[in-house]
């Protein structure tokens, strides 16, 4: 157990639907990262939050959104789902000592596997 | 744009063989470098990291990696692999002064007894 909790572990839904993935970071970590892992794209950085504020944005589609709440948990919302959104979505957390030095070591959750039919 | 290349997508070895997995990145500035491992059915775990200093970095389970700045490379090595090393290995780069961690596409290692 890494200390980063992701729910649900598995999710099957239909095209056009909307889902929410949840992540609770490791105790004491202020920063949350979301990654998408698919067979053909590898691990793609989606978005990062630090202490409730968006910090960095990667290849996140407009149909996707995320937020980090005051208790530091984060949710990734995926809407108008397409077949190509089927993937493993990882959340990671770090202490992120504010400076954005790139020296953060990420602790990953077990992932949420999304299947869109 | 910054990118990370892992040239070997799938490596198959017998136990006790030596391992070297290639990783090259494209970024002209200072970087922090990482190798993560994902064992079957598990989350990604940090194997080793390089921030500064000695370019030869030792990690867990006998792994090491060498940072060669002139080649923009951070190859992972292990002198003698074990069946339990079967996993997917990801190289990652964090450009200094950013919060991004950019991953390569991963290398699947299969070790046969």
């Amino acid at each position: 157990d890494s200390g980063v909790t992701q729910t649900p572990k598995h999710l099957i839904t239909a095209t056009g639907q909307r889902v929410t993935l949840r992540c609770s970071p490791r105790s004491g970590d202020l920063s949350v990262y979301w990654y998408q892992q698919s067979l053909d794209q590898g691990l793609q950085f989606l978005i990062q939050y630090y202490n409730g504020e968006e910090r960095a944005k990667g290849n996140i589609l407009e149909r996707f959104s995320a937020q980090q709440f005051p208790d530091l948990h984060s949710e990734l919302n995926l809407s108008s789902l397409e077949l190509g959104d089927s993937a493993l979505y990882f959340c990671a957390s770090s202490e992120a000592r504010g400076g954005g030095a790139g020296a953060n070591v990420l602790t990953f959750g077990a992932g949420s596997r999304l299947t869109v039919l | 744009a910054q990118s990370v290349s892992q040239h070997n997508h799938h490596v198959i070895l017998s136990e006790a063989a030596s391992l070297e997995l290639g990783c090259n990145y494209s970024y002209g500035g200072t970087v922090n470098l990482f190798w993560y491992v994902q064992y079957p059915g598990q989350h990604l775990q940090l194997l080793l990291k390089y921030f500064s200093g000695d370019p030869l970095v030792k990690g867990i389970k006998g792994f090491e990696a060498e940072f060669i700045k002139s080649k923009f490379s951070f190859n992972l090595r292990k002198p003698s692999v074990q069946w339990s090393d079967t996993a997917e290995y990801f190289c990652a780069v964090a450009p200094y002064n950013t919060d991004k961690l950019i991953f390569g596409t991963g290398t699947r290692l299969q070790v046969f007894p």
Side-chain angles (χ1 to χ4, degrees):
Chain A
D1 183 6
S2 67
V4 178
T5 305
Q6 288 188 248
T7 56
K9 285 189 169 46
H10 301 277
L11 190 55
I12 301 174
T13 189
T15 54
Q17 296 297 304
R18 172 190 168 97
V19 298
T20 297
L21 309 180
R22 183 188 167 101
C23 170
S24 293
R26 203 176 52 158
S27 177
D29 285 355
L30 299 177
S31 198
V32 168
Y33 298 72
W34 285 99
Y35 285 85
Q36 179 192 56
Q37 184 182 29
S38 56
L39 282 174
D40 55 344
Q41 295 284 327
L43 264 168
Q44 297 286 313
F45 168 68
L46 295 178
I47 198 164
Q48 182 217 351
Y49 282 83
Y50 173 70
N51 205 19
E53 293 190 5
E54 183 182 304
R55 181 82 160 201
K57 216 167 188 175
N59 301 322
I60 187 165
L61 299 171
E62 283 191 13
R63 299 183 286 109
F64 296 179
S65 65
Q67 54 184 326
Q68 186 179 27
F69 294 88
D71 67 351
L72 300 177
H73 91 272
S74 177
E75 292 181 357
L76 179 67
N77 300 297
L78 316 174
S79 61
S80 302
L81 285 168
E82 301 175 0
L83 294 177
D85 297 327
S86 295
L88 197 53
Y89 291 84
F90 282 108
C91 170
S93 71
S94 76
E95 293 178 16
R97 295 184 187 92
N104 300 315
V105 175
L106 270 58
T107 301
F108 281 82
S112 292
R113 183 171 295 281
L114 172 67
T115 302
V116 182
L117 300 175
Chain B
Q2 302 107 13
S3 66
V4 180
S5 298
Q6 291 183 243
H7 317 294
N8 317 102
H9 295 293
H10 192 188
V11 173
I12 302 173
L13 295 172
S14 299
E15 274 192 319
S18 64
L19 170 73
E20 179 157 5
L21 301 182
C23 173
N24 286 89
Y25 64 93
S26 66
Y27 182 72
T30 304
V31 293
N32 300 127
L33 298 157
F34 306 81
W35 275 97
Y36 280 82
V37 60
Q38 186 178 23
Y39 296 104
Q42 295 189 27
H43 58 273
L44 277 85
Q45 303 170 46
L46 182 68
L47 202 52
L48 49 78
K49 62 185 186 288
Y50 172 80
F51 289 169
S52 63
D54 189 343
L56 185 61
V57 179
K58 294 195 185 300
I60 60 171
K61 303 187 181 187
F63 285 92
E64 64 180 30
E66 185 176 13
F67 171 47
I68 304 179
K69 191 175 180 180
S70 61
K71 294 185 178 180
F72 298 91
S73 71
F74 190 55
N75 292 353
L76 181 71
R77 298 196 292 251
K78 185 169 183 178
S80 175
V81 294
Q82 300 173 315
W83 175 79
S84 58
D85 294 324
T86 294
E88 189 146 15
Y89 293 81
F90 293 91
C91 180
V93 171
Y96 190 80
N97 228 22
T98 73
D99 286 37
K100 277 190 185 178
L101 189 59
I102 303 159
F103 282 87
T105 50
T107 297
R108 185 177 300 275
L109 172 66
Q110 279 184 289
V111 180
F112 289 96

